[in-house]
């Protein structure tokens, strides 16, 4: 508020807070036009007859853009012309930038992040082991604050700077235009907030020039470009380096002034850019003055952290996946991926995986999820073992929380890969353009060796992933470029105008909200025990300071995770929440109708057995299996807390239980782990949910609690026939359908259980053996195959949850 009140037009806003706009509605219209339309589109819109009759006070796009430009903004953008003596360029070298320290100050003081900030290094202990998660829980932060205590003044606060950069093309197919943005954040902002691009916890501080030098050999072009890069970084972060040495007084989100020092904590980039930053490559880089040379506490061996997106996910697609494709064969591997059962919320490769030339990081992760059980049986066990150990390492490298034991486990997974990697060479699976390769000289594979040390030094590596950078390249380069004139000389300046305008509009919108609010605004700090579902820090902060203000609708952000723990059905231990729709998919069905529609001949007997068991022989005469009616659902939702941080509520998962149909001739039903009591012991059971239902009470009748407290499930059981220890190659449980003798021979063993017995939704992958059955599709694989792998790679939460044995 103080920053907004010091603006040149602040005096006009004392009486007219929306100045230069007439009211909030007009500002919202202008904001919408600037965010969505090109300048020519805005002009066409304002010339529409209906708009002219509405008479907005801005009559043209020039006036609208001028008004937006007059709004208070953050750190100012600048343009600096550079040159390298003796090396002319085709176009002038123009660095467009803003002061890195000013941007860091702006982030550090932002009240939106007040509940997501850390100021002091601290040690977290789990049992007898130290935890490593956020930067401030790791060794480097403690070293700076404690080891160099005599060098920092008493009461100093460190504001660790994080930098990210990447070069990206902004034109498609033609034009050849590229951008090289530099982004900044601070490690004080908690990683789960900072890692979301929609949180606006990252700011662009510069666009690196990409010059073309005249009459220069290609090798010298690279050397000169790298020297220019470091010179530009020197300009952008000159003040930040001074603050790292001498400190600067900066207000925090609560308004308290702190004496802050700004070390460089991490730099996120792909491998070629990391080599350029470190001024090292396979040969000398020619950079004699790297930008970090005089940055206090900066050491490229520490701030160039292991990066999960490129070093793990893209490495996986470029190497382990190709090895598997080479050995399994394209047709066989496609057939297996096509026949995987479709689950809601997970990617299904209905067209196969071998024809895809380019994939996103998300698709790389989806391939990792099911590759191991998909190649088992058709390749040598030692090959599967090597691939599985490497994917184990990749999953463990993405954990947000570590202990010394879990770090040792991650190191052991990498060692396990190296112990079995010879099987990959023996099979001839590692191939290049010139034929078989007989070595593992892969730089990214070598980088994996450093992950354990980096984790202890600067915290969990997942917080330094380039996933956020990839998204920022879209929001700060590619999408704004579509709204420019696309001229090579001016498109960067136009993008900066667009980004500056968007930042100003966000600030002004927040300012208006605060001005229009009647009660004093204080930061309601969230305690550690409170459950977290809000995914956008701005929306969460606004909801705390003004919980009932109708103007909250003006702020748009990611939809928060719906918290079913508030109004849903809870398990007996309150560790899981369930949700079914108010209106069922089918109502008033008789037992016989259910048995016929769902093809479940023993459904009535199973329900009768359940009533007998839970009623202790005290049968109700108000409802019976012969005359009673049921309401049926095709699915339910299951919600759990995070395995890593119990206060975080995860998005709910859909568990399907649809009857046979034209599209799914044998039904569309998912698998779960259910818990049941055997004596005083809790037993985990793998089962397939075939029906979700609840008895309907006749008019003016109250049914017993065991029929109406919550829906019931009809499930069919699997039995565990093999344990991970018995098949170390895949290291998964193998389950098989469970049968019993029926009137017409063997039939699947089914039972009715309460919905609240479900503990996890799981993924089953068929045991394909030496060849996949080509007649089986994704719609029928769960019903035709008899044996399945319980896939512990289905997601990171399941991976860590299933590390404990099933009993």
């Amino acid at each position: 508020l103080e920053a907004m009140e010091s603006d040149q037009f602040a005096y006009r806003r004392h009486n007219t807070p929306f100045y230069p706009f007439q009211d909030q509605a007009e500002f919202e219209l202008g904001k919408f036009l600037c965010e969505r339309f090109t300048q020519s589109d805005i002009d066409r819109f304002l010339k529409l007859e209906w708009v002219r009759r509405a008479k907005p006070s801005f009559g043209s796009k020039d006036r609208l853009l001028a008004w937006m430009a007059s709004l208070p903004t953050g750190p100012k953008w600048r343009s600096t012309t550079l040159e390298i003596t003796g090396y002319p360029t085709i176009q002038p070298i123009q660095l467009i930038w803003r002061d890195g320290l000013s941007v860091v100050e702006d982030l550090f003081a932002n009240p939106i992040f007040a509940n997501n900030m850390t100021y002091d290094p601290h040690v977290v202990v789990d049992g007898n082991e130290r935890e490593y998660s956020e930067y401030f829980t790791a060794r480097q932060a403690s070293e700076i604050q404690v080891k160099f205590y005599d060098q920092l003044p008493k009461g100093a606060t460190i504001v660790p700077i994080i930098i990210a950069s990447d070069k990206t093309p902004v034109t498609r197919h033609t034009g050849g235009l590229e951008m090289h943005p530099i982004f900044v954040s601070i490690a004080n902002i908690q990683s789960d907030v900072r890692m979301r691009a929609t949180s606006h916890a990252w700011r662009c501080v510069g666009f690196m020039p990409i010059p073309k030098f005249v009459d220069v050999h290609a090798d010298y072009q690279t050397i000169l470009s790298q020297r220019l890069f470091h010179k530009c970084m020197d300009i952008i972060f000159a003040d930040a380096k001074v603050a790292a040495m001498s400190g600067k007084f900066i207000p925090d989100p609560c308004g308290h002034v702190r004496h802050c020092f700004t070390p460089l904590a991490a730099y996120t980039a792909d491998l070629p850019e990391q080599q350029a930053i470190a001024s090292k490559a396979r040969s000398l880089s020619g950079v004699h003055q790297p930008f970090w040379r005089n940055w206090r506490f900066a050491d490229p061996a520490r701030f160039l952290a292991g990066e999960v997106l490129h070093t793990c996910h893209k490495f996986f697609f470029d190497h382990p996946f190709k090895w598997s494709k080479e050995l399994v064969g394209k047709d066989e591997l496609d057939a297996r991926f096509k026949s995987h059962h479709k689950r809601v919320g997970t990617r299904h490769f209905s067209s196969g995986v071998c024809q895809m030339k380019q994939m996103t990081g998300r698709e790389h992760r989806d391939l990792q999820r099911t590759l191991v059980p998909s190649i088992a049986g058709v390749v040598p066990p030692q090959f599967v073992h090597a691939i599985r150990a490497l994917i184990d390492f990749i999953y463990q490298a993405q954990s947000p929380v570590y202990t010394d034991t879990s770090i040792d486990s991650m190191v052991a997974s990498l060692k396990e890969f190296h112990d079995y990697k010879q099987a990959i060479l023996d099979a001839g699976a590692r191939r290049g353009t010139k034929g078989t390769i007989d070595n593992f000289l892969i730089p990214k594979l070598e980088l994996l060796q450093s992950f354990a040390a980096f984790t202890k030094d600067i915290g969990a590596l997942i917080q330094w992933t380039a996933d956020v950078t990839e998204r920022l390249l879209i929001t700060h380069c590619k999408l704004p470029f579509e709204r420019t004139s696309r001229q090579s000389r001016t498109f960067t300046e136009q993008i900066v105008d667009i980004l500056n305008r968007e930042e100003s509009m966000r600030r002004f919108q927040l300012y208006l909200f605060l001005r229009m609010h009647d009660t004093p605004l204080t930061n309601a700090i969230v305690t550690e025990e409170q459950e977290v579902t809000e995914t956008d820090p701005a929306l969460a902060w606004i909801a705390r300071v003004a919980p009932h203000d109708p103007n909250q609708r003006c702020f748009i952000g990611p939809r928060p995770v719906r918290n079913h723990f508030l109004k849903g059905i809870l398990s007996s231990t309150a560790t899981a929440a369930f949700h079914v729709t108010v209106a069922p998919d089918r109502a008033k069905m008789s037992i016989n109708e259910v048995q016929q529609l769902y093809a479940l001949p023993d459904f009535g007997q199973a329900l009768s057995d359940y009533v007998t068991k839970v009623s202790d022989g005290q049968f109700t005469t108000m409802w019976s299996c012969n005359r009673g009616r049921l309401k049926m659902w095709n699915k339910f939702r299951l919600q759990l807390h995070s395995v890593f941080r119990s206060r975080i509520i995860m998005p709910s998962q859909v568990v399907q239980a649809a009857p046979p149909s034209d599209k799914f001739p044998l039904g569309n039903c998912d698998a779960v782990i259910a818990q049941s009591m055997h004596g005083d012991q809790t037993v985990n059971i793998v089962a397939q949910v075939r029906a979700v239902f609840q008895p309907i009470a006749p008019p003016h009748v109250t049914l017993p609690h065991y029929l109406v407290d919550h829906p019931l499930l009809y499930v069919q059981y699997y039995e565990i026939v093999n344990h991970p220890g018995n098949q170390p190659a895949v290291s998964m449980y193998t389950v098989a359908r469970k049968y019993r003798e029926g009137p017409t021979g063997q039939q699947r063993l089914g039972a009715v259980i309460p919905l609240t017995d479900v503990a996890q939704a799981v993924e089953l992958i068929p045991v394909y053996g030496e060849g996949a059955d080509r007649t089986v599709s994704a719609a029928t694989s769960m019903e035709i195959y008899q044996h399945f792998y319980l896939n512990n790679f289905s997601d990171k939460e399941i991976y860590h949850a299933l590390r404990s044995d099933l009993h």
Side-chain angles (χ1 to χ4, degrees):
L1 279 174
E2 291 177 1
M4 302 295 285
E5 295 294 351
S6 63
D7 177 66
Q8 60 177 329
F9 296 112
Y11 71 96
R12 291 183 177 272
R13 297 193 182 102
H14 284 306
N15 299 319
T16 311
F18 302 99
Y19 181 86
F21 299 93
Q22 291 182 351
D23 53 29
Q24 181 168 332
E26 187 174 83
F27 168 69
E28 289 180 6
L29 173 62
K31 181 173 180 289
F32 175 82
L33 295 176
C34 290
E35 287 177 337
R36 304 292 178 178
F37 289 5
T38 64
Q39 294 188 24
S40 58
D41 288 337
I42 295 174
D43 249 347
R44 283 197 293 270
F45 176 83
L46 294 176
K47 290 177 182 177
L48 295 175
E49 185 60 32
W50 181 86
V51 177
R52 288 184 173 183
R53 287 202 302 268
K55 295 182 179 179
S57 53
F58 49 88
S60 67
K61 55 99 175 172
D62 293 325
R63 176 172 290 185
L64 173 60
L65 296 179
W67 284 5
M68 289 299 184
S70 71
L71 297 178
T73 186
K76 302 295 183 182
W77 285 91
R78 314 175 195 180
S79 179
T80 301
T81 302
L82 304 172
E83 64 178 29
I84 298 181
T85 306
Y87 296 95
T89 55
I90 296 175
Q91 294 182 6
I93 301 175
Q94 204 77 14
L95 170 65
I96 298 176
W97 63 288
R98 50 184 176 172
D99 178 51
L101 181 61
S102 298
V103 174
V104 166
E105 290 181 47
D106 195 57
L107 281 169
F108 189 73
N110 193 332
I112 284 173
F113 299 119
N115 288 284
N116 307 106
M117 295 285 281
T118 305
Y119 303 106
D120 300 307
H122 54 279
V123 175
V124 179
V125 178
D126 180 8
N128 296 320
E129 292 192 287
R130 178 173 179 171
E131 262 190 15
Y132 306 91
S133 53
E134 301 285 342
Y135 173 81
F136 279 92
T137 67
R139 291 176 178 174
Q140 187 183 103
S142 296
E143 285 182 10
I144 294 174
Q145 193 90 34
V146 178
K147 184 177 178 181
F148 298 101
Y149 178 78
D150 57 334
Q151 300 179 32
L152 298 182
K154 186 176 181 180
T157 299
I158 59 173
V159 182
I161 292 178
I162 310 166
I163 306 175
S165 64
D166 199 3
K167 188 184 292 186
T168 183
V170 291
T171 51
R172 299 174 183 174
H173 309 302
T174 60
L177 298 182
E178 293 181 308
M179 299 192 75
H180 193 173
I182 307 295
F183 301 104
V184 161
S185 188
I186 53 176
N188 306 83
I189 302 174
Q190 293 170 3
S191 60
D192 56 339
V193 171
R194 192 176 68 243
M195 288 169 60
R196 291 194 294 269
T198 54
S199 297
H200 303 295
W202 287 86
R203 301 285 174 82
C204 185
V205 294
F207 290 94
M208 288 287 137
I210 307 176
K212 293 183 180 179
F213 294 92
V214 178
D215 298 329
V216 169
H217 188 276
D219 292 342
Y220 286 103
Q221 178 83 29
T222 301
I223 292 173
L224 293 172
S225 295
Q226 290 184 0
R227 285 193 174 190
L228 179 63
F229 173 86
H230 285 271
K231 186 174 182 178
C232 292
M233 293 292 284
D234 259 337
I235 294 171
I236 295 172
F237 293 104
D239 289 346
K241 288 191 279 187
V242 172
M245 183 64 68
S246 307
K248 184 171 183 181
F249 289 95
I250 305 174
D252 67 16
C254 297
H256 307 304
V257 177
R258 295 174 179 264
H259 194 184
C260 297
F261 291 76
T262 53
L264 176 57
Y267 197 125
T268 298
D270 59 16
L271 182 58
E273 190 150 340
Q274 284 187 339
Q275 291 175 330
I277 292 163
S279 303
K280 294 188 181 294
R282 294 180 181 176
S283 58
L284 294 176
S285 68
V287 176
H288 61 295
Q289 289 187 324
F291 76 90
W292 44 263
R293 69 194 181 282
N294 54 352
W295 199 326
R296 191 181 187 188
F297 308 123
D299 180 354
R302 303 186 77 173
F303 68 70
L304 292 175
E307 198 281 301
V308 172
L309 176 63
H310 294 94
T311 313
C312 290
H313 299 315
K314 292 189 176 179
F315 160 76
F316 165 83
F317 181 71
D318 291 338
H319 297 284
F321 176 69
K322 288 186 178 178
W323 302 337
S324 302
K325 184 167 61 174
E326 192 72 37
L327 203 54
V328 176
K330 294 182 179 180
D331 182 63
E332 178 67 23
L333 193 60
D334 277 343
R336 293 177 178 223
F337 272 90
K338 288 178 183 178
S339 64
H340 291 164
H341 173 65
K342 293 181 180 180
R343 300 173 67 218
V344 175
T346 59
R347 169 69 185 271
H348 181 263
F349 295 94
S350 56
S351 300
V353 295
C354 295
Q355 302 305 317
M356 302 179 70
K357 300 299 181 184
Q358 286 188 327
M359 291 189 180
T360 64
R362 181 183 295 274
E363 289 166 328
H364 296 158
R365 286 184 278 265
D366 288 330
L367 286 175
Q368 293 166 22
R369 188 173 56 79
T370 54
L371 182 65
V372 170
S374 297
I375 65 175
V378 71
V379 298
Q382 293 83 357
F383 180 93
V384 178
H385 201 139
I387 300 298
R388 191 269 304 158
L390 198 53
I391 296 178
D392 265 330
F393 176 86
I394 292 173
Y395 269 62
Q396 290 164 330
Q398 298 174 77
S399 173
V401 181
Y402 290 88
T403 62
D404 288 318
T405 298
S406 61
I407 292 174
D408 291 342
S409 177
M410 179 174 68
V411 172
S413 294
L414 187 59
K415 181 181 182 301
E416 194 174 359
F417 164 75
H418 286 294
D419 290 342
Y420 285 90
K421 67 183 180 183
Q422 184 60 38
I424 299 169
L425 300 182
D426 293 342
R430 180 153 155 69
R431 292 176 172 272
T433 55
K434 297 181 180 180
T436 304
I437 301 174
D438 62 355
N439 61 69
F440 284 97
L441 299 178
I442 306 171
K444 289 180 180 178
L445 181 59
E446 295 178 19
L447 286 175
L448 301 183
Q449 302 283 355
S450 64
F451 275 31
F454 273 124
T455 300
K456 292 184 178 181
D457 196 41
I458 59 175
L461 296 185
I462 190 64
Q463 66 184 308
W464 316 117
T465 179
D467 285 280
V468 179
T469 313
E470 296 286 318
R471 179 59 189 167
L472 292 173
L473 291 176
I474 295 174
T475 58
H476 287 66
C477 297
K478 297 181 180 180
L479 292 181
F481 178 78
E482 299 295 323
R483 293 153 58 190
T484 69
S485 62
R486 309 186 188 186
Q487 299 298 313
S488 61
R489 292 179 180 272
T490 60
F491 77 92
T492 303
E493 289 87 345
Q494 293 177 48
I495 286 178
V496 168
D497 287 342
I498 291 171
L499 297 178
N500 206 42
R501 189 159 52 241
E502 290 176 349
E503 187 174 310
S504 297
M505 290 188 296
R506 282 196 302 271
R507 286 170 174 270
F508 192 64
Q509 187 176 30
L510 184 60
Y511 164 78
L512 291 178
F513 179 80
L514 300 181
R515 275 289 307 273
M516 301 303 292
H517 200 272
D518 296 330
T519 59
L521 297 169
T522 57
N523 286 302
I525 304 299
V526 175
T527 64
E528 282 296 314
E529 291 73 25
Q530 285 184 265
E531 294 179 327
V532 176
T533 58
E534 183 62 71
T535 59
D536 185 85
L539 296 181
W541 183 74
I542 289 166
R544 285 194 300 275
V545 300
H548 305 297
D549 196 301
N551 290 320
Q552 286 188 36
R553 65 175 179 80
C554 302
F555 294 86
I556 300 173
R559 188 171 65 178
V561 173
R562 184 174 179 183
N563 187 357
H564 295 298
F565 283 89
L566 295 178
K567 296 183 179 180
I569 304 163
L570 299 184
S571 64
S572 58
T573 58
T575 56
F578 306 88
H579 172 76
V580 293
T581 56
V582 174
D585 295 287
R586 295 170 186 82
K588 298 182 179 180
M589 295 190 71
S590 68
I591 301 296
N592 286 335
E593 288 173 335
V594 172
Q595 292 182 161
Q596 292 176 10
L597 178 63
Y598 285 77
L600 302 173
D602 65 334
F603 176 83
Q605 184 60 49
L607 179 55
S608 178
D609 293 343
Y610 171 78
V611 172
T612 301
K613 176 183 176 181
V614 298
S615 64
D616 294 326
Q618 302 298 316
F619 301 110
T620 176
T621 59
M622 302 298 181
W623 194 93
S624 70
C625 292
N626 294 330
R627 301 187 307 275
R629 292 291 184 268
L630 305 171
K631 48 186 176 181
M632 312 291 297
W633 289 271
N634 288 342
K635 61 188 177 185
F636 67 89
R637 287 185 175 272
L638 165 66
Q639 190 169 49
L640 303 169
H641 290 82
S642 171
V643 173
F644 306 103
R645 295 188 178 99
S646 58
R647 64 189 286 262
I648 301 224
I649 295 176
M650 301 302 295
S652 60
Q653 298 171 282
V654 173
V655 178
Q656 304 169 108
S661 62
D662 292 340
K663 188 176 181 180
F664 298 95
L666 301 176
N668 185 25
C669 304
D670 293 336
V672 298
I673 293 177
Q675 295 182 330
S676 64
M677 296 299 297
H678 283 209
D680 58 352
Q681 187 178 13
T682 301
V683 178
N684 293 309
I685 302 171
V686 183
Q688 186 181 22
V689 181
R690 303 308 304 258
V692 184
F693 66 95
Q694 190 169 31
I696 299 174
H700 312 297
V701 171
T702 301
L703 294 182
H705 69 90
Y706 54 79
L707 294 179
V708 296
D709 278 356
H710 41 65
L712 304 174
L713 307 178
Y714 174 85
V715 299
Q716 292 178 334
Y717 291 123
Y718 298 92
E719 59 181 335
I720 296 174
V721 296
N722 218 338
H723 289 255
N726 299 331
Q727 42 188 1
V730 292
S731 192
M732 293 181 183
Y733 290 96
T734 304
V735 299
R737 299 185 185 282
K738 208 168 185 178
Y739 290 91
R740 65 178 176 84
E741 288 295 330
T744 58
Q746 281 200 332
Q747 64 182 57
R748 291 190 64 183
L749 177 61
V752 170
I753 63 172
L755 172 67
T756 52
D757 278 4
V758 174
Q760 292 275 2
V762 294
E763 180 178 45
L764 299 183
I765 304 293
V767 177
Y768 292 105
E770 295 183 358
D773 186 344
R774 299 301 198 271
T775 65
V776 179
S777 68
T780 58
S781 61
M782 281 287 285
E783 313 307 324
I784 292 180
Y785 281 99
Q786 296 295 314
H787 291 78
F788 301 84
Y789 290 115
L790 180 56
N791 184 20
N792 55 350
F793 292 122
S794 59
D795 66 47
K796 293 192 288 290
E797 294 283 329
I798 288 289
Y799 176 79
H800 289 274
L802 291 184
R803 290 175 73 85
S804 59
D805 289 340
L806 292 173
H807 300 290

